[in-house]
Amino acid sequence: MLRPATPLVVLTRPRGRNQPLAARLRESGLEALELPALAVSPLPIDASRFPLPQHYDLIVFVSANAALFYLEQLAAQGCAEWPASTVAATVGEASARPLREAGFIPSGCIVHPAADTPQDSEALWRLLEPRRGTLRRVAIVRGESGREWLGECLERAGARVHRYAIYRRCPSEWTDGQRQTLAAGLAPGRVVVGLFTSSESVDAFYQNLSAPGLQTFWRDARFVVIHERIARHLQALLRTVPGKNPASMVKICPPADETIFQAVVSLAFL
């Protein structure tokens, strides 16, 4: 009897975000393929619009990349101080890690939802809403585009909100070799698990799978996503795939590597 092939896990987060998780998956007997859906790159600093911390009551970082690129631009301007009156907020624990590791932002200034709660704008707003009377000058550090919900909540609460674009995300351009590696991994009957951490990454991955033989990924794979919105977006796409049941095999988990690992393993060995 032929032994079943080792389950394949396709990690689609941007380059530099997949290695520790990939290593742990391989140690657990899974094959991990790092195939970023999106390329993330910093935008040039706009010194005239850059949100210096002393000018704001609250600075929101929408992702770990937003925090990392902001800290780099802040250092480039010779600033390594953070006022005790300025709140630094993120939508989750993982996004807050660069702020903590920077070493100069007081821990009491860093606000984010707890790891065992939803990691999203709604959860962050529940933390910020009791302070809304003191949050009059707000900056949101983000990509070129993004969800407007939190900024609109702050504006309705009376804040003046400055949106500062610090990075660009665009679909990764895969090489023929990357496509061939994925195609070789999509053997009939093999368990394949795909990880998606944004709706944009779902769309970008779909664009790259237009080559013949790769569309079976959508029909046969199981999926891990980090938010209900991403799950809904993915399931809408899956409804267009012949023979795919869009209500099955989509698992939602918090965005930390540990919870992602547990979710992926649970699907891989289901």
Side-chain angles (χ1 to χ4, degrees), residues 113-134:
D116 58 352
T117 64
Q119 310 279 280
D120 56 21
S121 296
E122 287 82 356
L124 177 58
W125 174 239
R126 286 192 287 272
L127 296 177
L128 296 177
E129 191 173 16
R131 310 183 185 207
R132 59 185 178 178
T134 63

Side-chain angles (χ1 to χ4, degrees), residues 37-269:
L38 295 168
V40 178
S41 57
L43 293 169
I45 187 170
D46 184 347
S48 65
R49 301 186 70 251
F50 185 83
L52 292 167
Q54 62 267 30
H55 295 162
Y56 292 89
D57 304 310
L58 166 68
I59 300 182
V60 178
F61 303 93
V62 303
S63 66
N65 280 320
L68 284 167
F69 293 142
Y70 176 86
L71 291 169
E72 290 174 2
Q73 292 194 2
L74 190 65
Q77 298 184 81
C79 181
E81 296 182 356
W82 194 273
S85 59
T86 301
V87 177
T90 69
V91 297
E93 186 177 47
S95 300
R97 190 169 299 120
L99 303 177
R100 296 192 188 283
E101 293 176 350
F104 63 89
I105 302 176
S107 59
C109 293
I110 302 173
V111 172
H112 61 81
D116 58 352
T117 64
Q119 310 279 280
D120 56 21
S121 296
E122 287 82 356
L124 177 58
W125 174 239
R126 286 192 287 272
L127 296 177
L128 296 177
E129 191 173 16
R131 310 183 185 207
R132 59 185 178 178
T134 63
L135 304 178
R136 295 302 180 185
R137 302 168 300 164
V138 176
I140 298 179
V141 181
R142 51 183 260 179
E144 288 182 306
S145 61
R147 192 174 178 226
E148 298 290 350
W149 185 86
L150 182 60
E152 291 169 353
C153 286
L154 287 159
E155 287 172 332
R156 285 194 295 270
R160 186 173 68 253
V161 179
H162 169 52
R163 296 163 175 85
Y164 182 75
I166 203 164
Y167 64 85
R168 172 181 291 120
R169 293 192 299 180
C170 59
S172 295
E173 296 183 5
W174 293 354
T175 65
D176 289 341
Q178 287 175 306
R179 289 189 175 87
Q180 291 167 6
T181 299
L182 177 59
L186 301 178
R190 187 182 197 185
V191 173
V192 177
V193 181
L195 167 67
F196 290 103
T197 55
S198 70
S199 296
E200 293 83 359
S201 66
V202 172
D203 293 337
F205 207 83
Y206 186 81
Q207 292 177 29
N208 268 307
L209 290 187
S210 60
L214 295 181
Q215 288 292 322
T216 59
F217 174 84
W218 298 115
R219 189 191 67 224
D220 299 332
R222 306 166 185 182
F223 302 95
V224 172
V225 300
I226 63 168
H227 199 278
E228 183 181 349
R229 284 193 306 274
I230 306 170
R232 290 197 299 267
H233 188 81
L234 174 61
Q235 287 166 342
L237 182 147
L238 294 178
R239 281 193 285 271
T240 69
V241 178
K244 180 68 178 180
N245 179 359
S248 65
M249 299 297 185
V250 178
K251 190 175 185 67
I252 304 170
C253 73
D257 272 13
E258 174 61 29
T259 52
I260 291 173
F261 172 80
Q262 297 295 340
V264 167
V265 169
S266 70
L267 284 185
F269 295 113

